[in-house]
Each structure stands twice: as C-alpha cells, then as structure tokens.
C-alpha cells in the first residue's frame, strides 16, 4: 500500500515482488525491453470502483448469511456450507473496502499513516485474502462432496452428513485456512508459497471436476429408473439442481480467480520477461475480477434457490419498511 495512483495489489507478500518493482526493473533493461513495455496496454481502474463493488458485495453476502440464519428451511448442511462460502466472499469485500478507504484518505492527505502500520495492515489484508481463497476452494469441494453423497447415498444421507459432522467440517476448514494463511505470510519470501497455492487450486479443480463428471454421467444413465419412483425422483431432481448450482459457482470462481493464479504461475516461470511484465501491469484488473466473484455468488444463490430468494425478498422488504 503506497501513494500510487492505482489500487495497491492485495496479497503483496504472495506476489513476492510488487507490480511497480516489475515495471521499474523492466525500465532498467535494454532498449528492446523498454520498447516492449511501452507497448503494453494497461487498463486504469479508479479506486472508487473498487470501493463501490466491495460495498455492494459486502451487503449482498451479509444478506445471504442473514437469510440462511432467519429461514429454518435453510438450516441444512449444504446451506451451512454456502453460508461459509458467503463469509469467505465477505473477507475479500472487507479487505478491499478497508484498503481502498485507507488509500483514498492517504492520497487526499486526510490520513497520515506510519509505514510500520501500513505493513501490519498489509499483513492483515493478505491473511484475509489467503483465508478467503483457501476457504472458498475448500467449501466448494465440501459442497461438491455433499451433493455427491445426496445423489449416490440418498437414503443414508442424513446419517452420513449430520449437523454435527457439518459443523466439525466447517471448523476444520476455517482452522486450516487461517493456519495456512499465517504460514503464507510468515514465509512469503519463499517461492514454495506460490507453488502451494497453485497446487491447491489445481487439486481442488480436479477433485470437483471428477465428482461433477461422475454425478452428471450417472444421473443421465439412471434417470429413467429414478423417475419411476416419485419421491426418490424428486429428491434426485433437487440434488441435481444443487449440483448444477455448485457447478455454476465453480465456473464463476475459475473465471474470476483464474487470471490471479496465472499471475502467480508467471511469477515463477518468467518474472523478468517483458511479455509477462505486460500481464503483471494489469493486476488491478485481476483484483476487480476477484471482487466480482464475491459480488456474483449471492446472485447465483438467489437465482437458483427459490426458498433463499423468497427470504432475501422478505429481508429487503423489511429493511425498506424500517427505512420509512
């Protein structure tokens, strides 16, 4: 976080070298490198946009959490996991809003912050972002496993996925996310941090892909048999709807977080390449995509779940009435 005109990249430690350092290093290279760098297209994003999207995302995810808490029909393991996914998105929103406010106040001379305090603030923000990405991936895997059990072990689902086991799973995921985030910050100078993040990202994608592929293939093969039993058919239909919802969530996550992980991979493979520097210069765009993921997820929840959508409408109507 510095006095720059652009938004400071979150996860500065995980990046290992700030974007500005890449640009400065590139400018000291040979004339050819300077020419390539000058040809790069850098998309300028105002800080106000970061703040606006962060606030909208924060409000959306708070509403989702309140809706799940308020409606007893949503008190099930899958919605508990979705609630945790909303909390993970909130970490991105909160870190973005706090960082942007500090930068705006600092840029306008309304706040004088000691460099040591900025470093501590960076540590907190970096830890929140790390926790968000690790917990988001973990809960996407957890929800995928939950849908898998619902489809293939429908009659035993409530004995397998009890509320107690769901709570234990949630606690373990958050404990692992926070612990790994602290370790990432402590050992931020080691390239192993980036390798671990990228490996975890790829592993979770493969895990989800295998489960979803199996679910959709088996559902297609056995669809006629299942529909012969009305009650079980309805349960299967509901389970597949949940699986489709999580497939959409996973797809949005890949699109929004993919460029960030590509950024990490390029740091390992070509940190000094002029072409890679062009990619690094648009890190702010990758941050916007990450924030958009936190903003889009609640819309997917509401669109795919009629019960959640109805509860959200009640909350909004109640808030509007209180405002009057």
């Amino acid at each position: 976080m510095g006095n720059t005109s652009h938004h400071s990249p979150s996860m500065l430690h995980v990046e290992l070298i700030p974007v500005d350092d890449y640009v400065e290093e590139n400018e000291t290279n040979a004339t050819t490198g300077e020419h390539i760098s000058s040809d790069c297209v850098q998309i300028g994003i105002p800080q106000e946009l970061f703040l606006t999207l962060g606030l909208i995302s924060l409000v959306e995810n708070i509403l989702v959490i309140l809706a799940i808490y308020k409606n007893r029909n949503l008190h099930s393991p899958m919605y508990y996991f979705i609630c945790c996914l909303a909390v993970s998105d909130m970490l991105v929103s909160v870190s973005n809003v706090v960082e942007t406010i500090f930068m705006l106040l600092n840029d306008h001379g309304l706040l004088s912050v000691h460099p040591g305090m900025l470093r501590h603030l960076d540590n907190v923000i970096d830890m929140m972002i790390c926790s968000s990405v690790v917990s988001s991936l973990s809960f996407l895997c957890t929800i995928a496993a939950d849908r898998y059990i619902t489809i293939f072990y429908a009659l035993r689902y409530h004995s397998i996925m009890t509320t107690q086991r769901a709570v234990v799973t949630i606690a373990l995921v958050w404990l692992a996310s926070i612990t790994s985030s602290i370790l990432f910050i402590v050992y931020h100078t080691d390239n192993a941090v980036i390798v671990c993040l990228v490996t975890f990202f790829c592993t979770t994608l493969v895990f989800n892909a295998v489960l979803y592929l199996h679910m959709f293939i088996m559902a297609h093969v056995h669809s006629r048999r299942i529909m012969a039993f009305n009650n079980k058919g309805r349960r299967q239909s509901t389970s597949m709807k949940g699986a489709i919802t999580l497939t959409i969530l996973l797809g949005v996550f890949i699109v929004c977080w993919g460029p960030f992980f590509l950024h990490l991979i390029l740091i390992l493979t070509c940190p000094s390449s002029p072409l890679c520097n062009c990619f690094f210069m648009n890190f702010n765009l990758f941050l916007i995509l990450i924030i958009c993921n936190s903003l889009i997820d609640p819309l997917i929840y509401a669109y795919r779940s009629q019960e959640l959508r109805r509860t959200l409408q009640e909350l909004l109507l109640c808030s509007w009435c209180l405002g009057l």
Side-chain angles (χ1 to χ4, degrees), residues 24 66 96 168 172 230 254 276 293:
E24 290 173 5
L66 290 176
N96 169 70
V168 170
L172 290 176
N230 292 333
I254 294 173
C276 291
N293 177 73

Side-chain angles (χ1 to χ4, degrees), residues 36-301:
I36 295 176
S37 179
S38 64
D39 291 339
C40 294
V41 177
Q42 185 174 10
I43 301 175
I45 300 176
Q47 294 175 355
E48 290 76 11
L49 180 59
F50 280 94
L51 183 61
T52 302
L53 292 179
L55 288 173
I56 294 174
S57 171
L58 182 61
V59 172
E60 285 183 351
N61 284 286
I62 289 176
L63 286 174
V64 168
I65 294 171
L66 290 176
I68 294 175
Y69 174 79
K70 178 177 181 292
N71 191 335
R72 289 189 175 275
N73 293 331
L74 301 177
H75 290 187
S76 64
M78 189 188 80
Y79 281 102
Y80 292 154
F81 297 145
I82 288 179
C83 184
C84 290
L85 200 56
V87 174
S88 298
D89 288 336
M90 278 182 57
L91 291 177
V92 174
S93 304
V94 171
S95 62
N96 169 70
V97 169
V98 170
E99 184 178 20
T100 305
I101 289 176
F102 264 85
M103 291 184 63
L104 286 172
L105 292 176
N106 196 31
D107 289 348
H108 289 82
L110 300 177
L111 181 67
S112 179
V113 184
H114 189 272
M117 181 179 177
L118 286 179
R119 175 53 58 189
H120 289 307
L121 180 61
D122 274 339
N123 289 336
V124 173
I125 290 174
D126 292 348
M127 192 176 73
M128 291 174 69
I129 297 294
C130 283
S131 297
S132 174
V133 64
V134 173
S135 60
S136 293
L137 286 168
S138 299
F139 283 119
L140 284 172
C141 290
T142 304
I143 297 171
D146 177 80
R147 292 301 86 196
Y148 187 88
I149 296 172
T150 305
I151 292 173
F152 292 99
Y153 303 95
L155 298 179
R156 298 170 50 200
Y157 173 77
H158 293 291
S159 61
I160 296 174
M161 186 56 70
T162 61
T163 301
Q164 183 179 2
R165 287 178 178 172
V167 171
V168 170
T169 301
I170 290 171
L172 290 176
V173 168
W174 281 117
L175 179 62
S177 300
I178 295 172
T179 303
S180 61
S181 300
I182 294 174
L183 292 175
F184 288 162
I185 301 306
V186 172
Y187 298 102
H188 67 272
T189 56
D190 196 334
N191 283 352
V193 170
I194 298 181
V195 174
C196 288
L197 277 175
V198 174
T199 302
F200 182 65
F201 178 72
C202 295
T203 302
T204 53
L205 291 188
V206 172
F207 176 82
N208 281 282
V210 170
L211 288 188
Y212 287 133
L213 187 61
H214 191 201
M215 280 189 284
F216 290 126
I217 290 177
M218 295 302 291
H220 178 72
V221 171
H222 296 287
S223 59
R224 291 184 179 180
R225 295 180 183 177
I226 292 170
M227 293 308 296
F229 302 94
N230 292 333
N231 291 335
K232 189 175 180 182
R234 281 194 291 270
R235 287 197 299 269
Q236 185 78 6
S237 177
T238 302
S239 300
M240 285 307 302
K241 183 177 180 180
I244 294 172
T245 300
L246 271 300
T247 303
I248 297 172
L249 288 172
L250 182 63
V252 171
F253 186 92
I254 294 173
V255 170
C256 294
W257 281 89
F260 170 77
F261 281 96
L262 178 58
H263 178 96
L264 297 183
I265 292 172
L266 292 180
I267 289 177
L268 293 175
T269 57
C270 58
S272 302
S273 169
L275 187 60
C276 291
N277 280 331
C278 290
F279 190 82
F280 297 145
M281 289 173 64
N282 287 293
F283 187 78
N284 287 338
L285 181 59
F286 312 151
L287 289 182
I288 284 291
L289 287 175
I290 292 174
I291 298 170
C292 285
N293 177 73
S294 302
L295 189 147
I296 294 171
D297 280 352
L299 301 180
I300 297 174
Y301 307 148

